[in-house]
Amino acid sequence: MRDAIPFSESLGAPPDPVDSATAVVDDRGVVTGWSPGAERLLGYSCQEVVGSPVSRLIVSEAGSEDGPPALGTHVAEALLRHRDGRAVEAQVRVYPSVNHRGHAQRVLIVTPPERSRPDLVTAYEAFAQCHLPVMVYDSELRAVRASAGAARELGLSEEWMHGRRVTEILPPHLCSRVEDGMGRVLVSGEAERFHVRGRARPDASEKVWSVTVSPLVTPAGQVRHVEVSALDVSEQYLARERLALLNDVSAQVGSTLDVMRTAQEMADFAVGRFADFVTIDLLDSLFRGVEPKPSTTGAVPLRRAAQQSVLPGMPEALIEPGDVDDYPASAPPVRCLATGRSSLHSTEDEATRGWVQADPGRAAVVRRFGIHSLMVIPLRARGITLGVAVLVRHRREDPFTRDDLLLAEEIASRAAVAVDNARRYTLERGTALALQRSLLPR
């Protein structure tokens, strides 16, 4: 039979922290925490106690004949020393714990002896009803407990998970890192924290989890179980990731005053980070030295300035950089040019379906690679629309979101400024060279 959890119903009903005295003792027996309740019970202030041995506060323990005990048992009747010298009868409950650095410590909760609290839940019940995803695994890395939050996130019952390894519970992209961390904590006795990204179950959305693996230490100092808790930090993590992306695009896009190179830098930057295939098309008039003005009617000729893919050779591409393609008036890129507004599409919506079906080659690419989601982003600078970027997903299962659209708009805005600077430089340089040539003697 597997080891039982070292703390459960054997602790009985936990005392009310409002009424009780609480102290924290490190693995050397030194007091590191002292509550107001403890000050009221024994008369010592926090400054007088913290940093001193806990043994100076203990007169004797029930069953002990050799002086002050170490309070190693879970529940003990004890005589404690009041600041005025008198002995105070108390019941001491000891809970193994770890501090913020992962070092072992004990939490002591002191109450008058034999107090009855029939209205309070046990530690076992409190764990079972916890809304945070928390699980306990034994030394064989098999589940022995799961909170209500864990069962909800994983879509599995605690009874089904009991006795199973993490590789049988978590999806493959999550389980290996979590199980490796559990193995290290069992050996080192030091808590670990790391991030994992993915779906907790196949039908759930992708999230970022801050996972903490903590050792559960017995009174004898042995690590027989580990606790795994997970906190959803998707919003904070993705916000930091987006900020880092924007910092990177400022540093990496616009390194030269060449229009085609600048467009390619944007495509290279976006692919792999949040898109699987990217095309950047600029108005053909831009390359002829004419101030770009998108047509509001009919087909629009766009010249391919750059493209990039997560697949070698860019097999999704229908044309090569430098080629011109005529986009029909109903196509999302033309609508984007006309309105100056971004749009988010699936390949099943009406606008995209009509555009794809009108071109057999495009329809074949969509089917072959399983393209399911795309964003159309205008490239605008100084109030002028220069072209359009189309970002596609087919390898990633998740469709683009509104947050992805906002991020792509910010990236496109910064890239468009760099493209416009390159365009204006090229135009002004060509004008200057033409003027120089006109002044030369014939």
Side-chain angles (χ1 to χ4, degrees), residues 179-207:
E179 188 167 65
D180 289 347
M182 291 162 57
R184 289 192 300 269
V185 170
L186 278 169
V187 173
S188 68
E190 301 288 334
E192 288 194 14
R193 179 179 295 173
F194 47 85
H195 288 90
V196 296
R197 184 172 185 169
R199 294 180 175 86
R201 60 180 188 275
D203 60 340
S205 59
E206 185 178 80
K207 294 182 179 180

Side-chain angles (χ1 to χ4, degrees), residues 426-440 442:
T426 302
L427 180 60
E428 291 169 3
R429 183 174 182 274
T431 302
L433 291 175
L435 179 59
Q436 288 176 1
R437 285 193 297 269
S438 70
L439 296 176
L440 293 173
R442 296 185 179 277

Side-chain angles (χ1 to χ4, degrees), residues 19 30 72 75 114-115 119 139 143 194 196 243 262 318 322 329 332 352 392:
D19 297 334
V30 175
V75 183
E114 304 299 331
R115 292 186 61 175
D119 58 324
S139 57
F194 47 85
V196 296
L243 181 59
T262 300
L318 297 174
T352 307
V392 168

Side-chain angles (χ1 to χ4, degrees), residues 365-388:
V365 166
V366 169
R367 289 193 301 271
R368 177 184 172 189
F369 296 100
I371 294 173
H372 58 83
S373 182
L374 64 148
M375 296 188 293
V376 183
I377 314 293
L379 299 177
R380 291 177 57 83
R382 298 186 302 112
I384 300 172
T385 301
L386 306 174
V388 62

Side-chain angles (χ1 to χ4, degrees), residues 83-327:
R83 191 172 186 275
D84 61 13
R86 59 189 170 88
V88 177
E89 290 187 36
Q91 186 178 75
V92 182
R93 296 170 181 260
V94 183
Y95 295 83
S97 178
V98 291
N99 63 17
H100 66 285
R101 295 181 178 176
H103 296 158
Q105 63 181 18
R106 290 171 292 167
V107 178
L108 279 56
I109 300 182
V110 184
T111 59
E114 304 299 331
R115 292 186 61 175
S116 174
R117 289 177 172 83
D119 58 324
L120 295 183
V121 298
T122 64
Y124 186 94
E125 293 168 326
F127 180 92
Q129 297 174 37
C130 176
H131 286 276
L132 292 175
V134 182
M135 295 191 67
V136 175
Y137 292 85
D138 63 17
S139 57
E140 298 178 1
L141 303 184
R142 296 186 180 277
V144 293
R145 291 299 317 278
S147 68
R152 182 185 65 253
E153 289 292 342
L154 296 170
L156 303 168
S157 68
E158 183 179 14
E159 291 75 15
W160 186 90
M161 289 186 280
H162 189 274
R164 297 180 186 269
R165 292 180 68 95
V166 68
T167 51
E168 302 174 78
I169 297 173
L170 293 178
H173 59 281
L174 297 179
C175 64
S176 59
R177 189 169 186 193
V178 174
E179 188 167 65
D180 289 347
M182 291 162 57
R184 289 192 300 269
V185 170
L186 278 169
V187 173
S188 68
E190 301 288 334
E192 288 194 14
R193 179 179 295 173
F194 47 85
H195 288 90
V196 296
R197 184 172 185 169
R199 294 180 175 86
R201 60 180 188 275
D203 60 340
S205 59
E206 185 178 80
K207 294 182 179 180
V208 179
W209 303 93
S210 175
V211 177
T212 302
V213 183
S214 305
L216 299 181
V217 185
T218 67
Q222 297 176 330
V223 180
R224 294 164 58 189
H225 296 78
V226 291
E227 177 188 88
V228 180
S229 61
L231 184 64
D232 181 3
V233 295
S234 304
E235 186 174 344
Q236 303 92 314
Y237 185 90
L238 295 177
R240 290 194 299 269
E241 188 178 66
R242 292 187 179 99
L243 181 59
L245 282 172
L246 293 177
N247 289 336
D248 289 347
V249 76
S250 298
Q252 298 176 24
V253 178
S255 60
T256 67
L257 288 173
D258 179 88
V259 171
M260 300 288 280
R261 179 58 193 161
T262 300
Q264 188 63 51
E265 286 173 344
M266 178 186 170
D268 293 343
F269 179 84
V271 162
R273 301 198 181 215
F274 63 105
D276 298 327
F277 180 59
V278 174
T279 63
I280 298 177
D281 295 325
L282 302 178
L283 289 165
D284 188 47
S285 58
L286 182 148
F287 295 91
R288 292 183 278 106
V290 179
E291 192 77 3
K293 293 181 180 179
S295 171
T296 57
T297 59
V300 176
L302 293 173
R303 187 177 297 275
R304 179 64 46 87
Q307 57 192 13
Q308 188 55 275
S309 170
V310 294
L311 302 177
M314 290 177 281
E316 309 98 323
L318 297 174
I319 60 174
E320 296 296 323
D323 293 346
V324 175
D325 193 8
D326 290 326
Y327 284 75

